[in-house]
Amino acid sequence: LAIPNAIANRLDRAPLFYLGVLLLILLGAAWVLRFIQDDAFISFRYSYNLVEGWGLQFNPPGFDPKPVEGYTNFLWTMIMAVPIALGYDVIIASQLLGLVCFFFALLGTYRLATELLGTRSEAIIAVLIAGTNFTFISYATGGLETMLVTALLVWCFRVAASLKTSDDWTLARMLMISVLAGLAVLTRMDAGVFLMVIAGLLGLRWLVLDKPLGHKLGLAIVAATPAVGMIGTWLFWKIGYYQDIFPNTYYVKLSDEADPLVTALRGIFFSGKFLISYLVLPFLVILIVRFFKIVRDLNWLALVGILTLWLVYIIQTGGDFMEFRFFVAAIPLLAIVIVACLRQLNGFRLLMLAAVIGASAFHGGTSQRTGGIEAIRELNAHVLEG
């Protein structure tokens, strides 16, 4: 175990009780740390114009020659139109919905960690590590889609990881994976980076699945149809409405004038700052050194694959100016890796666990703009002081 037996035994005796208490504490802390950032108002404006009957565009008709896609979170923008249409405060509504997504993301972390680590006590520790991460708990609010896409991806991986035997491959689970994947891409297109690995995991297990070929093909169709239908319909509409697949922010960030080397160096700085701030780097070293002891099956290989591919994506795109927001979706998986690495530390487990939580608290209390990365309190100040 990654924690002393006495603590593990206590947690295992009533795991749902301790998990429930932990989730309530973390939800309360997320509400205390709530904030709003100015980028959220881009989505809010598109949502408002949609409610007004002007369509998904930033300005009312007549201001722009054609609609421009200036948001990167279609599903979130559509959802935010609901409280606006009902006359509710969209800021409060976005924060409350973010907290709901935060709850489900942590619950999904617990279920995924239980599947991968094998013990409920260690799964609770994984939730503790993820939930006390300052970046993760802060982006429970903020007004953007960050926690929604995280919850969708964690649960998609959780369901995919549960498909170990032929009996696990049910139509209901295939449908669930497909819907979650489709909604994740509609929330953020780069969710596809995660989903590529999950699709690879499913593909490998499908190939060796002990079922008749007809049954296997039926499962594959059920797994593909909802996601392909949702994403295909959305892209078809985008091409017709915006005359493009990608939002304009894609071309701004990755324009032809951008130097790939400078972009990569910026991404390396962004990633390195995150890994050092949260004391993740030592655990990545442990993961590499003890790779074959930790990565024992396809689920673990997929988890490491997702983290690796996501890190490459962040570096390739140059990171972000918002304090580590790009890492939020990966934090539940990193928390599970940290717990697995704690198993390798023998007598230093509690000390390192305390160090991880302490590093998060220290970062949260001292973070400020560094190398173009704006601290969360600065993102909040743009709105409060603006």
Side-chain angles (χ1 to χ4, degrees):
L1 291 175
I3 50 177
N5 288 335
I7 298 176
N9 291 337
R10 180 177 291 274
L11 293 176
D12 280 329
R13 279 200 296 270
L16 295 182
F17 170 77
Y18 289 108
L19 177 65
V21 170
L22 177 59
L23 290 177
L24 286 175
I25 293 172
L26 293 175
L27 283 168
W31 180 251
V32 170
L33 293 172
R34 70 189 182 278
F35 81 107
I36 192 72
Q37 56 193 107
D38 53 358
D39 273 42
F41 289 87
I42 298 174
S43 295
F44 297 163
R45 177 153 178 167
Y46 276 88
S47 301
Y48 175 80
N49 287 341
L50 178 64
V51 172
E52 289 295 307
W54 299 330
L56 277 175
Q57 53 189 42
F58 189 76
N59 292 313
F63 281 83
D64 301 313
K66 68 180 182 68
V68 176
E69 187 184 10
Y71 58 90
T72 58
N73 49 10
F74 172 77
L75 182 60
W76 182 258
T77 300
M78 296 296 289
I79 291 172
M80 287 299 99
V82 175
I84 292 174
L86 295 176
Y88 295 124
D89 187 325
V90 69
I91 295 176
I92 298 298
S94 70
Q95 291 174 327
L96 290 175
L97 181 56
L99 288 177
V100 172
C101 295
F102 176 68
F103 171 83
F104 280 104
L106 289 176
L107 185 60
T109 302
Y110 171 78
R111 295 292 301 277
L112 179 60
T114 302
E115 181 73 45
L116 293 174
L117 297 169
T119 68
R120 292 173 293 185
S121 55
E122 289 180 312
I124 293 174
I125 298 302
V127 172
L128 174 66
I129 293 171
T132 55
N133 181 283
F134 179 73
T135 294
F136 194 78
I137 197 171
S138 295
Y139 284 109
T141 55
L144 287 173
E145 77 295 336
T146 315
M147 201 52 65
L148 172 60
V149 74
T150 301
L152 290 169
L153 289 172
V154 168
W155 276 101
C156 188
F157 189 19
R158 164 65 184 93
V159 179
S162 69
L163 305 179
K164 290 184 173 181
T165 68
S166 296
D167 292 338
D168 296 329
W169 286 72
T170 64
L171 292 177
R173 290 184 181 181
M174 294 298 98
L175 184 64
M176 186 180 301
I177 291 172
S178 188
V179 170
L180 289 170
L183 292 176
V185 173
L186 263 60
T187 305
R188 280 194 65 87
M189 288 186 74
D190 55 11
V193 177
F194 269 66
L195 296 173
M196 283 171 57
V197 180
I198 295 174
L201 169 67
L202 292 174
L204 288 174
R205 287 194 164 145
W206 182 86
L207 287 173
V208 298
L209 187 62
D210 186 20
K211 286 183 180 292
L213 180 59
H215 195 151
K216 291 172 65 173
L217 290 175
L219 290 171
I221 291 171
V222 171
T225 300
V228 170
M230 284 189 287
I231 297 169
T233 302
W234 173 54
L235 292 179
F236 181 79
W237 169 81
K238 283 182 69 172
I239 293 172
Y241 192 72
Y242 295 116
Q243 284 82 57
D244 206 336
I245 291 179
F246 299 106
N248 69 337
T249 50
Y250 169 83
Y251 296 103
V252 171
K253 188 168 185 178
L254 297 177
S255 64
D256 293 336
E257 290 77 21
D259 186 334
L261 178 59
V262 173
T263 300
L265 289 174
R266 191 167 62 245
I268 291 171
F269 175 81
F270 181 86
S271 303
K273 183 71 176 175
F274 171 83
L275 296 175
I276 292 171
S277 297
Y278 289 112
L279 206 63
V280 177
L281 207 53
F283 293 99
L284 295 185
V285 173
I286 294 172
L287 176 63
I288 294 171
V289 173
R290 297 296 186 93
F291 185 84
F292 293 104
K293 286 192 174 183
I294 295 173
V295 181
R296 297 163 297 177
D297 57 27
L298 276 178
N299 285 339
W300 273 101
L301 190 61
L303 185 148
V304 173
I306 290 172
L307 291 177
T308 302
L309 198 59
W310 191 249
L311 182 61
V312 170
Y313 167 72
I314 291 175
I315 291 173
Q316 184 182 11
T317 55
D320 192 30
F321 73 92
M322 303 180 202
E323 185 183 335
F324 305 141
R325 188 172 80 98
F326 269 19
F327 272 102
V328 171
I331 287 173
L333 307 190
L334 282 172
I336 295 172
V337 168
I338 288 172
V339 174
C341 291
L342 285 173
R343 289 173 170 174
Q344 312 297 317
L345 295 177
N346 298 323
F348 296 97
R349 295 167 182 169
L350 276 182
L351 178 63
M352 286 302 295
L353 175 61
V356 168
I357 297 173
S360 177
F362 177 78
H363 170 75
T366 62
S367 178
Q368 55 187 351
R369 181 191 285 250
T370 307
I373 305 172
E374 296 185 27
I376 287 170
R377 61 171 58 88
E378 185 179 358
L379 295 172
N380 193 38
H382 291 325
V383 177
L384 298 181
E385 297 172 3

